[in-house]
Amino acid sequence: MKKIIGILISLLCSLAAFSQTPEEILDRMEKVIDQHQNDGVYMIIDLKLPIVGTLSTKTWVYGEKMRAVAKVAGVEVTTWLDETTQWVYNAKNNELEITNRKEESSSTDGDIDMFVGLTEGYDLSVKDQTDKTWHILCKKSKSNKNKDDPKTIDIVVEKDTYNPRSLSTKMDGITFTMRDLSFNVTEKQVLFNPKDYADATIIDKR
């Protein structure tokens, strides 16, 4: 009897989840993001480039500070940002370049913001789902005249938590994916510590 009840409960939960519209799912996902707006966020960003292939960057963001680690042509490059300064460390030649923070990197929260506001300007549908996730397809509405908005965006949302799991889209011929998101990054994880690179060659361009 307990087994039958368990199956029925599981079935009812599945039906309840299925009855949600993609708009309701994304609304609940946005509420989760809002709850973490003062927390740091970690993600992997994949850029699929013609000829070059896929470049992956591990990124930690805390407020206006950020640390990103990527491998370019087999060389590990780490970048730090704070409110005014950018540090770039090349592990192969042990060089650390310091510059003023560039205007185009004046905000570090733009990536996670891509998950927000998609119920406006896009037609939504549940493309696929598993026991653990929804795969939602966002197609640009005909009424959306913003030229910068991608034509399509794919979002995967966790069913149990409504956490965003991944976002993928194509911009200017480049496939862009954010995945493996998690929250509660600490400031220590993004701060540049000069003591860790005391023996590096410093190139100060400020």
Side-chain angles (χ1 to χ4, degrees):
M1 177 61 92
K2 288 183 179 180
K3 187 175 181 180
I4 295 174
I5 292 173
I7 292 172
L8 288 173
I9 291 173
S10 177
L11 177 61
L12 290 172
C13 289
S14 297
L15 290 172
F18 184 76
S19 67
Q20 294 182 90
T21 67
E23 288 80 8
E24 289 170 337
I25 294 168
L26 291 191
D27 278 340
R28 293 191 67 172
M29 181 195 72
E30 286 189 26
K31 289 178 182 177
V32 170
I33 293 174
D34 285 342
Q35 290 170 3
H36 292 282
Q37 62 180 338
N38 295 320
D39 302 330
V41 62
Y42 165 81
M43 69 182 77
I44 295 176
I45 300 175
D46 297 325
L47 296 177
K48 189 175 182 181
L49 308 170
I51 302 175
V52 176
T54 301
L55 299 177
S56 294
T57 303
K58 295 179 180 180
T59 306
W60 296 259
V61 178
Y62 183 89
E64 288 301 312
K65 300 179 178 68
M66 183 191 78
R67 175 168 64 98
V69 180
K71 278 195 174 181
V72 181
V75 179
E76 186 172 279
V77 177
T78 304
T79 302
W80 295 263
L81 290 172
D82 67 10
E83 291 82 356
T84 61
T85 308
Q86 174 177 283
W87 298 263
V88 178
Y89 176 70
N90 185 313
K92 183 178 181 180
N93 54 23
N94 195 28
E95 287 184 352
L96 180 68
E97 182 178 289
I98 308 173
T99 58
N100 292 321
R101 183 166 179 164
K102 298 176 183 178
E103 185 176 347
E104 56 265 31
S105 60
S106 59
S107 176
T108 55
D109 61 359
D111 292 333
I112 193 69
D113 281 352
M114 288 187 69
F115 286 88
V116 177
L118 293 173
T119 54
E120 299 178 7
Y122 284 87
D123 299 321
L124 310 179
S125 62
V126 177
K127 184 177 180 180
D128 192 16
Q129 64 177 306
T130 67
D131 291 340
K132 295 183 178 181
T133 61
W134 290 287
H135 177 181
I136 296 177
L137 177 63
C138 311
K139 287 187 176 181
K140 190 175 181 179
S141 305
K142 291 183 179 179
S143 59
N144 186 348
K145 303 303 181 182
N146 190 337
K147 295 180 180 179
D148 294 330
D149 284 349
K151 291 182 179 179
T152 61
I153 298 175
D154 288 89
I155 291 185
V156 176
V157 182
E158 296 177 357
K159 285 185 174 180
D160 56 344
T161 63
Y162 290 88
N163 280 336
R165 179 173 288 187
S166 69
L167 179 150
S168 183
T169 189
K170 195 170 185 178
M171 297 181 291
D172 299 325
I174 299 172
T175 301
F176 175 88
T177 301
M178 293 183 289
R179 59 182 174 87
D180 300 347
L181 279 81
S182 62
F183 298 100
N184 298 317
V185 167
T186 65
E187 187 173 22
K188 185 178 180 180
Q189 290 176 284
V190 299
L191 283 177
F192 172 73
N193 186 351
K195 292 181 181 179
D196 294 336
Y197 301 91
D199 64 340
T201 300
I202 307 298
I203 304 171
D204 197 332
K205 296 185 176 180
R206 289 173 294 180

